[in-house]
Short mmCIF file of all heavy atoms in Angstrom, two decimals:
data_model
loop_
_atom_site.label_atom_id
_atom_site.label_comp_id
_atom_site.label_asym_id
_atom_site.label_seq_id
_atom_site.Cartn_x
_atom_site.Cartn_y
_atom_site.Cartn_z
N THR A 149 150.38 25.10 107.16
CA THR A 149 149.30 25.84 107.85
C THR A 149 149.20 25.44 109.33
O THR A 149 148.23 25.76 110.00
CB THR A 149 147.94 25.55 107.19
OG1 THR A 149 147.73 24.10 107.23
CG2 THR A 149 147.84 26.08 105.76
N GLY A 150 150.19 24.67 109.83
CA GLY A 150 150.14 24.32 111.25
C GLY A 150 149.36 23.06 111.57
O GLY A 150 149.01 22.83 112.74
N ASN A 151 149.08 22.21 110.57
CA ASN A 151 148.23 21.07 110.83
C ASN A 151 148.88 19.71 110.86
O ASN A 151 148.34 18.78 111.47
CB ASN A 151 147.10 21.00 109.79
CG ASN A 151 146.00 22.00 110.09
OD1 ASN A 151 145.20 21.80 110.98
ND2 ASN A 151 146.03 23.10 109.36
N LEU A 165 156.23 23.74 115.72
CA LEU A 165 156.04 23.69 114.26
C LEU A 165 156.85 24.84 113.64
O LEU A 165 156.53 26.03 113.86
CB LEU A 165 154.55 23.89 113.90
CG LEU A 165 153.60 22.86 114.48
CD1 LEU A 165 152.18 23.22 114.14
CD2 LEU A 165 153.95 21.46 113.99
N SER A 168 155.09 27.57 111.69
CA SER A 168 154.21 28.51 112.37
C SER A 168 154.97 29.29 113.44
O SER A 168 154.34 29.91 114.30
CB SER A 168 153.02 27.81 113.02
OG SER A 168 152.29 27.08 112.00
N ARG A 173 161.98 35.30 116.12
CA ARG A 173 161.90 34.96 117.56
C ARG A 173 162.90 33.87 117.97
O ARG A 173 163.09 33.63 119.15
CB ARG A 173 160.49 34.52 117.87
CG ARG A 173 159.55 35.66 118.04
CD ARG A 173 158.32 35.19 118.75
NE ARG A 173 157.43 36.33 118.97
CZ ARG A 173 156.11 36.25 119.00
NH1 ARG A 173 155.52 35.12 118.81
NH2 ARG A 173 155.41 37.34 119.21
N VAL B 124 151.00 50.03 119.19
CA VAL B 124 149.72 49.46 118.73
C VAL B 124 148.70 50.57 118.51
O VAL B 124 147.98 50.63 117.53
CB VAL B 124 149.20 48.41 119.77
CG1 VAL B 124 147.74 48.04 119.51
CG2 VAL B 124 150.07 47.15 119.72
N GLY B 129 150.23 49.57 114.95
CA GLY B 129 150.98 48.33 114.81
C GLY B 129 150.05 47.14 115.10
O GLY B 129 149.07 47.29 115.80
N THR B 130 150.40 45.98 114.58
CA THR B 130 149.65 44.75 114.82
C THR B 130 150.35 43.95 115.96
O THR B 130 151.52 43.59 115.83
CB THR B 130 149.58 43.88 113.57
OG1 THR B 130 149.03 44.63 112.52
CG2 THR B 130 148.78 42.65 113.78
N ALA B 131 149.61 43.76 117.05
CA ALA B 131 150.19 42.93 118.16
C ALA B 131 150.41 41.52 117.63
O ALA B 131 149.57 40.96 116.92
CB ALA B 131 149.22 42.92 119.29
N ILE B 132 151.56 40.96 117.97
CA ILE B 132 151.87 39.56 117.54
C ILE B 132 151.94 38.67 118.77
O ILE B 132 152.80 38.83 119.62
CB ILE B 132 153.19 39.49 116.76
CG1 ILE B 132 153.15 40.44 115.54
CG2 ILE B 132 153.44 38.05 116.29
CD1 ILE B 132 154.45 40.52 114.79
N GLY B 133 150.95 37.73 118.84
CA GLY B 133 150.97 36.75 119.92
C GLY B 133 151.84 35.57 119.50
O GLY B 133 153.04 35.73 119.28
N GLY B 134 151.23 34.40 119.34
CA GLY B 134 152.01 33.24 118.84
C GLY B 134 152.28 33.38 117.38
O GLY B 134 153.14 32.71 116.83
N ALA B 135 151.47 34.14 116.67
CA ALA B 135 151.53 34.40 115.21
C ALA B 135 151.05 33.20 114.40
O ALA B 135 151.08 33.25 113.17
CB ALA B 135 152.94 34.81 114.71
N ALA B 136 150.61 32.15 115.03
CA ALA B 136 150.17 30.94 114.26
C ALA B 136 148.94 31.26 113.42
O ALA B 136 148.78 30.67 112.35
CB ALA B 136 149.86 29.81 115.24
N TRP B 137 148.09 32.14 113.92
CA TRP B 137 146.89 32.50 113.16
C TRP B 137 147.21 33.65 112.21
O TRP B 137 146.86 33.62 111.06
CB TRP B 137 145.76 32.89 114.14
CG TRP B 137 144.45 32.85 113.49
CD1 TRP B 137 143.69 33.90 113.03
CD2 TRP B 137 143.72 31.67 113.11
NE1 TRP B 137 142.55 33.42 112.43
CE2 TRP B 137 142.53 32.07 112.46
CE3 TRP B 137 143.94 30.29 113.29
CZ2 TRP B 137 141.59 31.17 111.99
CZ3 TRP B 137 142.98 29.41 112.82
CH2 TRP B 137 141.83 29.83 112.19
N LEU B 138 147.88 34.63 112.74
CA LEU B 138 148.22 35.81 111.93
C LEU B 138 148.99 35.41 110.67
O LEU B 138 148.82 36.03 109.62
CB LEU B 138 149.16 36.72 112.75
CG LEU B 138 148.58 37.87 113.56
CD1 LEU B 138 149.70 38.54 114.33
CD2 LEU B 138 147.82 38.83 112.67
N ARG B 139 149.83 34.42 110.80
CA ARG B 139 150.73 34.09 109.65
C ARG B 139 149.92 33.63 108.40
O ARG B 139 150.42 33.66 107.31
CB ARG B 139 151.71 33.00 110.05
CG ARG B 139 151.01 31.68 110.30
CD ARG B 139 152.00 30.54 110.12
NE ARG B 139 152.54 30.58 108.77
CZ ARG B 139 152.57 29.54 107.92
NH1 ARG B 139 152.08 28.39 108.32
NH2 ARG B 139 153.04 29.65 106.74
N MET B 140 148.68 33.22 108.65
CA MET B 140 147.91 32.77 107.51
C MET B 140 147.30 33.93 106.75
O MET B 140 146.69 33.79 105.71
CB MET B 140 146.87 31.80 107.94
CG MET B 140 147.56 30.53 108.47
SD MET B 140 146.51 29.15 108.55
CE MET B 140 146.09 29.12 110.27
N MET B 145 151.71 43.61 106.62
CA MET B 145 151.57 44.28 107.90
C MET B 145 152.61 45.43 107.94
O MET B 145 153.80 45.10 107.93
CB MET B 145 151.86 43.24 108.96
CG MET B 145 151.25 43.45 110.28
SD MET B 145 151.90 42.13 111.39
CE MET B 145 150.97 40.69 110.89
N LEU B 151 155.18 40.75 121.09
CA LEU B 151 154.88 40.89 122.55
C LEU B 151 155.67 39.87 123.41
O LEU B 151 155.41 39.75 124.55
CB LEU B 151 153.37 40.61 122.75
CG LEU B 151 152.39 41.46 121.93
CD1 LEU B 151 150.96 41.10 122.32
CD2 LEU B 151 152.64 42.93 122.15
N LEU B 156 155.11 38.58 129.60
CA LEU B 156 153.64 38.27 129.71
C LEU B 156 153.40 36.75 129.68
O LEU B 156 152.30 36.36 129.34
CB LEU B 156 152.87 38.96 128.57
CG LEU B 156 152.85 40.47 128.61
CD1 LEU B 156 152.04 41.02 127.42
CD2 LEU B 156 152.24 41.00 129.92
N ALA B 170 149.18 37.27 128.80
CA ALA B 170 148.71 37.13 127.43
C ALA B 170 149.56 36.27 126.56
O ALA B 170 149.07 35.63 125.61
CB ALA B 170 148.56 38.54 126.78
N MET B 171 150.86 36.17 126.87
CA MET B 171 151.76 35.37 126.02
C MET B 171 151.93 33.95 126.50
O MET B 171 152.81 33.19 126.02
CB MET B 171 153.12 36.08 125.87
CG MET B 171 153.05 37.33 125.03
SD MET B 171 152.47 36.99 123.33
CE MET B 171 153.97 36.28 122.62
N THR B 172 151.16 33.55 127.47
CA THR B 172 151.21 32.18 127.97
C THR B 172 150.68 31.26 126.88
O THR B 172 149.69 31.54 126.22
CB THR B 172 150.29 32.05 129.22
OG1 THR B 172 150.73 33.01 130.16
CG2 THR B 172 150.32 30.67 129.80
N TYR B 174 149.33 27.58 125.15
CA TYR B 174 148.37 26.53 125.51
C TYR B 174 149.05 25.36 126.21
O TYR B 174 148.49 24.74 127.09
CB TYR B 174 147.67 26.00 124.27
CG TYR B 174 146.52 26.83 123.77
CD1 TYR B 174 146.52 28.23 123.84
CD2 TYR B 174 145.35 26.22 123.27
CE1 TYR B 174 145.41 28.97 123.38
CE2 TYR B 174 144.28 26.94 122.86
CZ TYR B 174 144.29 28.32 122.90
OH TYR B 174 143.22 29.01 122.46
N THR B 194 140.29 21.18 127.96
CA THR B 194 139.88 22.27 127.06
C THR B 194 140.79 22.38 125.86
O THR B 194 140.35 22.54 124.74
CB THR B 194 139.85 23.66 127.81
OG1 THR B 194 139.00 23.56 128.94
CG2 THR B 194 139.44 24.75 126.93
N HIS B 197 142.68 18.89 122.60
CA HIS B 197 142.25 18.42 121.30
C HIS B 197 142.78 19.32 120.15
O HIS B 197 142.49 19.00 118.99
CB HIS B 197 140.72 18.37 121.23
CG HIS B 197 140.12 17.55 122.28
ND1 HIS B 197 139.93 16.20 122.13
CD2 HIS B 197 139.67 17.86 123.54
CE1 HIS B 197 139.41 15.71 123.24
NE2 HIS B 197 139.25 16.69 124.10
N ILE B 198 143.45 20.36 120.52
CA ILE B 198 143.81 21.33 119.49
C ILE B 198 145.16 20.90 118.84
O ILE B 198 146.23 21.00 119.46
CB ILE B 198 143.91 22.76 120.08
CG1 ILE B 198 142.52 23.12 120.61
CG2 ILE B 198 144.36 23.74 119.02
CD1 ILE B 198 142.51 24.39 121.45
N VAL B 199 145.03 20.39 117.65
CA VAL B 199 146.12 19.96 116.75
C VAL B 199 147.15 19.10 117.51
O VAL B 199 146.89 17.93 117.71
CB VAL B 199 146.75 21.16 116.05
CG1 VAL B 199 147.75 20.70 114.96
CG2 VAL B 199 145.64 21.99 115.38
N LEU B 203 152.00 22.77 118.12
CA LEU B 203 151.26 24.03 117.89
C LEU B 203 150.94 24.65 119.24
O LEU B 203 151.05 25.87 119.40
CB LEU B 203 149.98 23.77 117.09
CG LEU B 203 149.16 25.08 116.85
CD1 LEU B 203 149.81 25.94 115.77
CD2 LEU B 203 147.70 24.75 116.39
N ILE B 206 153.12 27.09 120.80
CA ILE B 206 153.24 28.38 120.13
C ILE B 206 152.04 29.29 120.42
O ILE B 206 152.21 30.48 120.70
CB ILE B 206 153.35 28.14 118.57
CG1 ILE B 206 154.64 27.40 118.26
CG2 ILE B 206 153.31 29.49 117.83
CD1 ILE B 206 154.78 27.01 116.77
N ILE B 207 150.86 28.76 120.35
CA ILE B 207 149.63 29.60 120.39
C ILE B 207 149.39 30.15 121.82
O ILE B 207 149.68 29.49 122.81
CB ILE B 207 148.39 28.89 119.84
CG1 ILE B 207 148.14 27.56 120.60
CG2 ILE B 207 148.51 28.65 118.36
CD1 ILE B 207 146.91 26.79 120.08
N THR B 208 148.88 31.36 121.87
CA THR B 208 148.81 32.10 123.13
C THR B 208 147.37 32.40 123.55
O THR B 208 146.41 32.48 122.73
CB THR B 208 149.53 33.44 122.98
OG1 THR B 208 148.88 34.25 122.01
CG2 THR B 208 150.99 33.25 122.57
N VAL B 209 147.24 32.67 124.85
CA VAL B 209 145.94 33.08 125.43
C VAL B 209 145.50 34.42 124.89
O VAL B 209 144.35 34.63 124.53
CB VAL B 209 146.14 33.10 126.97
CG1 VAL B 209 144.90 33.71 127.65
CG2 VAL B 209 146.44 31.71 127.54
N GLY B 210 146.44 35.34 124.78
CA GLY B 210 146.10 36.73 124.32
C GLY B 210 145.62 36.73 122.88
O GLY B 210 144.62 37.36 122.55
N GLY B 211 146.28 35.96 122.00
CA GLY B 211 145.89 35.87 120.59
C GLY B 211 144.54 35.27 120.47
O GLY B 211 143.70 35.63 119.61
N THR B 212 144.22 34.31 121.35
CA THR B 212 142.91 33.61 121.31
C THR B 212 141.78 34.57 121.72
O THR B 212 140.76 34.62 121.08
CB THR B 212 142.98 32.45 122.27
OG1 THR B 212 144.00 31.55 121.89
CG2 THR B 212 141.66 31.72 122.35
N LEU B 213 142.01 35.30 122.77
CA LEU B 213 141.01 36.24 123.24
C LEU B 213 140.79 37.36 122.22
O LEU B 213 139.62 37.63 121.85
CB LEU B 213 141.43 36.86 124.58
CG LEU B 213 141.03 36.06 125.80
CD1 LEU B 213 141.76 36.65 127.03
CD2 LEU B 213 139.51 36.13 125.99
N ALA B 214 141.89 37.93 121.77
CA ALA B 214 141.79 39.07 120.86
C ALA B 214 141.01 38.69 119.63
O ALA B 214 140.21 39.48 119.10
CB ALA B 214 143.19 39.53 120.48
N GLY B 215 141.21 37.42 119.12
CA GLY B 215 140.54 37.01 117.87
C GLY B 215 139.03 36.77 118.05
O GLY B 215 138.29 36.78 117.11
N TYR B 217 137.46 34.14 118.30
CA TYR B 217 137.14 33.16 117.24
C TYR B 217 135.87 32.36 117.62
O TYR B 217 135.73 31.91 118.75
CB TYR B 217 138.30 32.17 117.01
CG TYR B 217 139.58 32.90 116.73
CD1 TYR B 217 140.59 32.97 117.70
CD2 TYR B 217 139.80 33.52 115.51
CE1 TYR B 217 141.78 33.60 117.46
CE2 TYR B 217 140.99 34.21 115.29
CZ TYR B 217 141.96 34.24 116.24
OH TYR B 217 143.14 34.90 116.02
N PHE B 219 135.21 29.33 116.75
CA PHE B 219 135.51 27.91 117.05
C PHE B 219 136.26 27.69 118.33
O PHE B 219 136.60 26.58 118.69
CB PHE B 219 136.37 27.37 115.90
CG PHE B 219 137.64 28.18 115.61
CD1 PHE B 219 138.68 28.14 116.46
CD2 PHE B 219 137.70 29.02 114.52
CE1 PHE B 219 139.81 28.92 116.25
CE2 PHE B 219 138.83 29.82 114.27
CZ PHE B 219 139.90 29.78 115.15
N SER B 220 136.54 28.76 119.05
CA SER B 220 137.49 28.63 120.19
C SER B 220 137.03 27.64 121.28
O SER B 220 135.90 27.71 121.75
CB SER B 220 137.73 30.00 120.85
OG SER B 220 138.57 29.83 121.93
N ASP B 221 137.92 26.80 121.69
CA ASP B 221 137.68 25.90 122.81
C ASP B 221 137.90 26.68 124.11
O ASP B 221 137.07 26.68 125.05
CB ASP B 221 138.68 24.72 122.84
CG ASP B 221 138.44 23.75 121.67
OD1 ASP B 221 137.58 22.89 121.82
OD2 ASP B 221 139.10 23.87 120.62
N LEU B 222 139.03 27.37 124.20
CA LEU B 222 139.43 28.04 125.43
C LEU B 222 138.44 29.16 125.86
O LEU B 222 138.12 29.31 127.04
CB LEU B 222 140.82 28.64 125.27
CG LEU B 222 141.41 29.33 126.49
CD1 LEU B 222 141.56 28.38 127.67
CD2 LEU B 222 142.78 29.97 126.18
N ASN B 223 137.97 29.91 124.86
CA ASN B 223 137.10 31.04 125.25
C ASN B 223 135.80 30.61 125.90
O ASN B 223 135.26 31.30 126.75
CB ASN B 223 136.84 31.94 124.03
CG ASN B 223 138.04 32.73 123.62
OD1 ASN B 223 139.02 32.82 124.37
ND2 ASN B 223 138.04 33.29 122.41
N PHE B 235 142.96 44.84 129.87
CA PHE B 235 143.56 45.56 128.72
C PHE B 235 144.56 46.53 129.35
O PHE B 235 144.18 47.33 130.24
CB PHE B 235 142.52 46.36 127.97
CG PHE B 235 141.44 45.46 127.37
CD1 PHE B 235 140.25 45.32 128.02
CD2 PHE B 235 141.66 44.80 126.18
CE1 PHE B 235 139.22 44.53 127.48
CE2 PHE B 235 140.69 43.97 125.65
CZ PHE B 235 139.44 43.81 126.32
N TRP B 253 138.88 49.27 119.22
CA TRP B 253 140.22 48.96 118.68
C TRP B 253 141.03 50.27 118.55
O TRP B 253 140.42 51.31 118.25
CB TRP B 253 140.04 48.30 117.33
CG TRP B 253 141.27 47.60 116.90
CD1 TRP B 253 141.70 46.33 117.22
CD2 TRP B 253 142.25 48.14 115.98
NE1 TRP B 253 142.87 46.08 116.61
CE2 TRP B 253 143.27 47.15 115.87
CE3 TRP B 253 142.42 49.31 115.32
CZ2 TRP B 253 144.37 47.34 115.05
CZ3 TRP B 253 143.52 49.52 114.54
CH2 TRP B 253 144.49 48.54 114.41
N PHE B 255 143.57 47.77 120.95
CA PHE B 255 143.73 47.45 122.34
C PHE B 255 144.87 46.49 122.52
O PHE B 255 145.32 45.86 121.54
CB PHE B 255 142.44 46.86 122.94
CG PHE B 255 141.96 45.63 122.24
CD1 PHE B 255 142.54 44.42 122.46
CD2 PHE B 255 140.91 45.72 121.30
CE1 PHE B 255 142.10 43.28 121.78
CE2 PHE B 255 140.48 44.59 120.60
CZ PHE B 255 141.06 43.36 120.86
N LEU B 256 145.37 46.40 123.73
CA LEU B 256 146.45 45.48 124.06
C LEU B 256 146.05 44.66 125.24
O LEU B 256 145.84 45.21 126.36
CB LEU B 256 147.74 46.32 124.36
CG LEU B 256 149.00 45.49 124.66
CD1 LEU B 256 149.43 44.70 123.43
CD2 LEU B 256 150.13 46.44 125.08
N ILE B 257 145.94 43.34 125.07
CA ILE B 257 145.55 42.46 126.21
C ILE B 257 146.80 42.14 127.01
O ILE B 257 147.78 41.70 126.46
CB ILE B 257 144.88 41.19 125.66
CG1 ILE B 257 143.56 41.56 124.98
CG2 ILE B 257 144.66 40.20 126.82
CD1 ILE B 257 142.87 40.39 124.30
N GLU B 258 146.75 42.42 128.30
CA GLU B 258 147.87 42.13 129.15
C GLU B 258 147.75 40.78 129.80
O GLU B 258 148.66 40.00 129.85
CB GLU B 258 147.98 43.23 130.26
CG GLU B 258 149.13 42.97 131.19
CD GLU B 258 149.14 43.97 132.37
OE1 GLU B 258 148.33 44.91 132.35
OE2 GLU B 258 149.95 43.79 133.27
N TYR B 270 134.63 20.91 130.90
CA TYR B 270 134.58 21.29 129.50
C TYR B 270 134.26 20.09 128.64
O TYR B 270 134.85 19.03 128.83
CB TYR B 270 135.95 21.88 129.09
CG TYR B 270 135.95 22.22 127.61
CD1 TYR B 270 135.35 23.36 127.14
CD2 TYR B 270 136.57 21.34 126.68
CE1 TYR B 270 135.32 23.63 125.76
CE2 TYR B 270 136.53 21.61 125.34
CZ TYR B 270 135.94 22.78 124.86
OH TYR B 270 135.90 23.04 123.51
N ARG B 274 133.98 16.90 118.08
CA ARG B 274 134.68 17.13 116.79
C ARG B 274 134.33 16.00 115.83
O ARG B 274 134.18 14.88 116.27
CB ARG B 274 136.19 17.15 117.02
CG ARG B 274 136.70 18.44 117.64
CD ARG B 274 138.16 18.23 118.06
NE ARG B 274 138.90 19.50 118.10
CZ ARG B 274 138.79 20.38 119.11
NH1 ARG B 274 137.99 20.15 120.14
NH2 ARG B 274 139.49 21.49 119.06
N ASN B 278 141.73 16.79 115.92
CA ASN B 278 142.52 17.92 115.38
C ASN B 278 141.72 18.93 114.58
O ASN B 278 142.26 19.95 114.22
CB ASN B 278 143.69 17.43 114.48
CG ASN B 278 144.72 16.61 115.25
OD1 ASN B 278 144.44 16.22 116.37
ND2 ASN B 278 145.84 16.37 114.65
N ASP B 279 140.44 18.65 114.27
CA ASP B 279 139.65 19.63 113.54
C ASP B 279 139.07 20.62 114.60
O ASP B 279 139.21 20.43 115.79
CB ASP B 279 138.46 18.89 112.85
CG ASP B 279 137.81 19.79 111.80
OD1 ASP B 279 138.27 20.92 111.56
OD2 ASP B 279 136.82 19.31 111.19
N PHE B 280 138.40 21.67 114.12
CA PHE B 280 137.72 22.59 115.02
C PHE B 280 136.52 21.81 115.67
O PHE B 280 135.98 20.94 115.00
CB PHE B 280 137.15 23.77 114.29
CG PHE B 280 138.17 24.71 113.72
CD1 PHE B 280 137.95 25.39 112.56
CD2 PHE B 280 139.37 24.92 114.38
CE1 PHE B 280 138.91 26.27 112.05
CE2 PHE B 280 140.31 25.81 113.87
CZ PHE B 280 140.08 26.47 112.70
N PRO B 281 136.12 22.24 116.88
CA PRO B 281 134.91 21.57 117.42
C PRO B 281 133.70 21.99 116.62
O PRO B 281 133.66 23.10 116.06
CB PRO B 281 134.87 22.15 118.83
CG PRO B 281 135.75 23.35 118.90
CD PRO B 281 136.70 23.22 117.74
N ASN B 284 130.80 23.20 121.48
CA ASN B 284 131.47 22.94 122.76
C ASN B 284 130.68 23.58 123.91
O ASN B 284 129.86 24.49 123.68
CB ASN B 284 132.96 23.36 122.72
CG ASN B 284 133.17 24.84 122.52
OD1 ASN B 284 132.42 25.66 123.04
ND2 ASN B 284 134.19 25.14 121.71
C1 FAD C 42 146.22 25.03 112.43
C2 FAD C 42 145.48 25.65 113.58
C3 FAD C 42 144.43 24.96 114.12
C4 FAD C 42 143.73 25.50 115.21
N1 FAD C 42 142.71 24.75 115.78
C5 FAD C 42 142.03 25.29 116.87
C6 FAD C 42 141.03 24.54 117.51
O1 FAD C 42 140.67 23.39 117.17
N2 FAD C 42 140.40 25.11 118.58
C7 FAD C 42 140.77 26.37 119.03
O2 FAD C 42 140.15 26.81 119.99
N3 FAD C 42 141.71 27.08 118.42
C8 FAD C 42 142.33 26.56 117.33
N4 FAD C 42 143.29 27.32 116.72
C9 FAD C 42 143.47 28.75 117.11
C10 FAD C 42 144.43 28.88 118.26
O3 FAD C 42 143.91 28.30 119.43
C11 FAD C 42 144.70 30.36 118.60
O4 FAD C 42 143.54 30.93 119.06
C12 FAD C 42 145.15 31.21 117.42
O5 FAD C 42 146.19 30.59 116.77
C13 FAD C 42 145.51 32.61 117.90
O6 FAD C 42 146.57 32.58 118.80
P1 FAD C 42 148.00 33.13 118.40
O7 FAD C 42 148.82 33.14 119.63
O8 FAD C 42 148.55 32.34 117.25
O9 FAD C 42 147.68 34.64 117.97
P2 FAD C 42 148.20 35.55 116.79
O10 FAD C 42 148.10 34.86 115.50
O11 FAD C 42 149.51 36.11 117.17
O12 FAD C 42 147.15 36.74 116.90
C14 FAD C 42 145.77 36.57 116.61
C15 FAD C 42 145.11 37.95 116.70
O13 FAD C 42 145.19 38.47 118.01
C16 FAD C 42 145.89 39.70 118.06
N5 FAD C 42 146.64 39.70 119.31
C17 FAD C 42 147.55 38.74 119.70
N6 FAD C 42 147.91 38.96 120.98
C18 FAD C 42 147.31 40.08 121.39
C19 FAD C 42 147.33 40.84 122.59
N7 FAD C 42 148.04 40.48 123.67
N8 FAD C 42 146.58 42.00 122.63
C20 FAD C 42 145.83 42.38 121.59
N9 FAD C 42 145.77 41.69 120.44
C21 FAD C 42 146.53 40.58 120.33
C22 FAD C 42 146.72 39.75 116.80
O14 FAD C 42 146.97 41.06 116.36
C23 FAD C 42 145.76 39.00 115.83
O15 FAD C 42 144.77 39.87 115.33
C24 FAD C 42 144.05 26.82 115.67
C25 FAD C 42 145.09 27.51 115.07
C26 FAD C 42 145.82 26.98 114.06
C27 FAD C 42 146.96 27.74 113.47
#
Side-chain angles (χ1 to χ4, degrees):
Chain A
T149 57
N151 281 285
L165 299 177
S168 300
R173 280 196 178 148
Chain B
V124 167
T130 303
I132 305 177
W137 198 257
L138 266 178
R139 67 155 303 231
M140 293 198 261
M145 207 185 282
L151 306 181
L156 293 181
M171 290 300 284
T172 304
Y174 276 40
T194 302
H197 303 273
I198 300 171
V199 188
L203 180 74
I206 296 174
I207 55 182
T208 64
V209 171
T212 300
L213 271 169
Y217 306 106
F219 53 74
S220 177
D221 292 277
L222 181 62
N223 288 346
F235 300 98
W253 197 83
F255 56 79
L256 182 64
I257 295 174
E258 179 186 354
Y270 175 78
R274 283 168 155 79
N278 297 10
D279 196 3
F280 292 148
N284 63 39

